[in-house]
Amino acid sequence: MMFEDAKKLVEQSNNIYVVGHINPDGDSIGAAFGMCLALESIGKNAKVVISKRSSVYDFLPHIDEYSVDSIKEDQYDLLICVDSSDKERLSISKEDFDKARNILVLDHHIAKIPYGDVNCIFSDLPAASQIVFDLINYLNIKIDKDIATYLYMGIMTDTGSFNYSSTKPSTFEAASVLIATGIDFADICKRVNDTKDEGVLYLIRATIENMEVYYDGQVRLSFVPYDIIKSIGLDEEDAEGMTNYLRMVKGTEVAIYIRGKSDGTNKVSLRSNGKVDVSKIAIAFGGGGHMRASGYTMPKEYNVSKKELLDMIGGML
Ligand code: AMP
Ligand code: MN
Ligand code: MN
């Protein structure tokens, strides 16, 4: 069993840090803090290394109490990395990464190069938070309401509220156990999915205004440059989620939302309705993800990168 080695690592460790990916989504935060609180509950000394995150997650139990942005010690026992197939995309400095005696990876992305001492990769599961749920059970740790809040939030976000095809019967079983702890799942959904800054409305408008249509409507692309995001007054981390509006249009196979970032690069989000495996595209351009949802940072100048992307998709339609 894959978790046996993970269990040994946890048992022999006392000072443990958990880390997710940069620009963290609900699953990254849910898996990291769910794992951290579970470790704390069995007497480990655990914290989450996290830098910038959206204020959407402010309501989560004890989130600031367990957050650190860097590691003070010269060495620590274990680093648990969740929801990232890419070492470079972890929300931790190389220096702090290298201070760990052991690395445990819990992930649902196919790793380019597995970077853990122990790698628990379940690419058939829809969320890293579901893997954390399984590991916590394997470790016989009781799931309290706070832990359940994080894990439910993570599973909910990465499954599109249990609607994506990646959702498994075991996902509903996990949700059932989590809900039985008494969490306010309606409130979690309201806060994470259904509450937006007013600026998001203006971002939706910009996304629609900038929409370009290719391959007889099979591909929809929208680029929102950073100066527009800035003029709207939205935080960068909140300028996400626009791909879904492009994908929902009838006949669309691939939706592409590209947003400018404050560092001058452009972040690409890809969504597929099934015909095209967009993880292959993202990996080809140095990113990663899943068949129906993937992303990467544009490696070249915008117009060149865009042409290469559209050409590749054209070859796959
Ligand atoms: P997003 O479009 O940012 O919501 O990302 C969709 C999926 O692609 C998620 O599963 C991400 O983990 C993955 N992904 C996005 N950007 C990158 C990247 N730069 N490198 C690797 N994976 C990524
Ligand atoms: Mn993620
Ligand atoms: Mn995930």
Side-chain angles (χ1 to χ4, degrees), residues 59-190:
F59 76 100
L60 289 162
H62 310 291
I63 187 152
D64 286 330
E65 195 181 322
Y66 289 104
S67 297
V68 295
D69 53 17
S70 62
I71 296 174
K72 306 253 165 348
E73 297 99 310
D74 293 332
Q75 248 201 343
Y76 56 95
D77 300 326
L78 179 62
L79 180 66
I80 303 180
C81 308
V82 299
D83 201 36
S84 181
S85 56
D86 194 340
K87 194 172 150 180
E88 273 65 51
R89 236 181 127 233
L90 291 170
S91 169
I92 188 171
S93 67
K94 188 182 178 308
E95 196 192 345
D96 284 347
F97 182 92
D98 290 338
K99 292 176 186 171
R101 287 193 187 87
N102 287 297
I103 307 282
L104 166 62
V105 176
L106 307 174
D107 193 20
H108 67 130
H109 303 91
I110 295 164
K112 288 168 250 179
I113 311 155
Y115 57 89
D117 298 299
V118 173
N119 298 285
C120 299
I121 318 280
F122 298 88
S123 55
D124 58 322
L125 290 183
S129 298
Q130 190 180 337
I131 301 169
V132 170
F133 173 85
D134 288 343
L135 176 60
I136 290 175
N137 284 321
Y138 190 82
L139 296 171
N140 272 318
I141 301 174
K142 183 178 179 296
I143 296 183
D144 64 19
K145 223 169 143 172
D146 288 349
I147 297 171
T149 297
Y150 280 102
L151 297 182
Y152 182 88
M153 193 264 308
I155 293 172
M156 179 194 78
T157 49
D158 257 24
T159 58
S161 299
F162 307 92
N163 285 305
Y164 295 160
S165 55
S166 53
T167 308
K168 298 284 178 302
S170 61
T171 314
F172 285 101
E173 283 164 25
S176 163
V177 171
L178 296 171
I179 286 175
T181 64
I183 56 169
D184 191 344
F185 57 88
D187 183 61
I188 296 170
C189 179
K190 172 83 185 134

Side-chain angles (χ1 to χ4, degrees), residues 3-76:
F3 281 144
E4 194 48 41
D5 293 336
K7 185 178 178 196
K8 279 186 201 139
L9 277 186
V10 169
E11 278 171 356
Q12 72 190 40
S13 302
N14 249 318
N15 286 328
I16 304 175
Y17 288 92
V18 191
V19 68
H21 56 77
I22 50 166
N23 191 16
D25 51 21
D27 184 35
S28 187
I29 289 179
F33 286 90
M35 189 73 245
C36 173
L37 294 191
L39 293 168
E40 277 283 328
S41 78
I42 55 165
K44 305 288 180 186
N45 188 6
K47 289 276 182 321
V48 175
V49 190
I50 183 167
S51 42
K52 269 168 71 181
R53 63 161 172 82
S54 164
S55 59
V56 164
Y57 305 106
D58 286 353
F59 76 100
L60 289 162
H62 310 291
I63 187 152
D64 286 330
E65 195 181 322
Y66 289 104
S67 297
V68 295
D69 53 17
S70 62
I71 296 174
K72 306 253 165 348
E73 297 99 310
D74 293 332
Q75 248 201 343
Y76 56 95

Side-chain angles (χ1 to χ4, degrees), residues 125-301:
L125 290 183
S129 298
Q130 190 180 337
I131 301 169
V132 170
F133 173 85
D134 288 343
L135 176 60
I136 290 175
N137 284 321
Y138 190 82
L139 296 171
N140 272 318
I141 301 174
K142 183 178 179 296
I143 296 183
D144 64 19
K145 223 169 143 172
D146 288 349
I147 297 171
T149 297
Y150 280 102
L151 297 182
Y152 182 88
M153 193 264 308
I155 293 172
M156 179 194 78
T157 49
D158 257 24
T159 58
S161 299
F162 307 92
N163 285 305
Y164 295 160
S165 55
S166 53
T167 308
K168 298 284 178 302
S170 61
T171 314
F172 285 101
E173 283 164 25
S176 163
V177 171
L178 296 171
I179 286 175
T181 64
I183 56 169
D184 191 344
F185 57 88
D187 183 61
I188 296 170
C189 179
K190 172 83 185 134
R191 286 174 186 272
V192 177
N193 289 341
D194 293 343
T195 308
K196 306 278 184 219
D197 282 333
E198 190 187 12
V200 169
L201 288 180
Y202 296 101
L203 182 65
I204 294 171
R205 182 171 70 184
T207 303
I208 296 167
E209 275 174 358
N210 294 356
M211 184 174 72
E212 301 165 26
V213 182
Y214 299 95
Y215 302 111
D216 298 326
Q218 292 184 88
V219 176
R220 282 167 196 276
L221 176 150
S222 183
F223 173 41
V224 181
Y226 179 66
D227 57 352
I228 293 183
I229 292 168
K230 207 175 152 202
S231 72
I232 290 169
L234 264 186
D235 284 341
E236 261 189 273
E237 310 84 67
D238 293 331
E240 296 278 345
M242 295 299 112
T243 332
N244 287 328
Y245 295 101
L246 304 169
R247 182 178 52 180
M248 65 173 65
V249 181
K250 253 187 216 161
T252 305
E253 288 297 339
V254 179
I256 309 159
Y257 168 64
I258 306 169
R259 69 174 172 91
K261 296 184 18 166
S262 56
D263 65 7
T265 63
N266 296 310
K267 155 89 213 258
V268 182
S269 276
L270 298 170
R271 295 292 183 274
S272 166
N273 276 324
K275 195 165 165 186
V276 172
D277 178 351
V278 292
S279 72
K280 288 194 178 137
I281 299 171
I283 289 169
F285 290 114
H290 313 274
M291 277 178 67
R292 286 170 178 257
S294 69
Y296 65 95
T297 299
M298 279 192 156
K300 294 181 188 160
E301 189 259 321

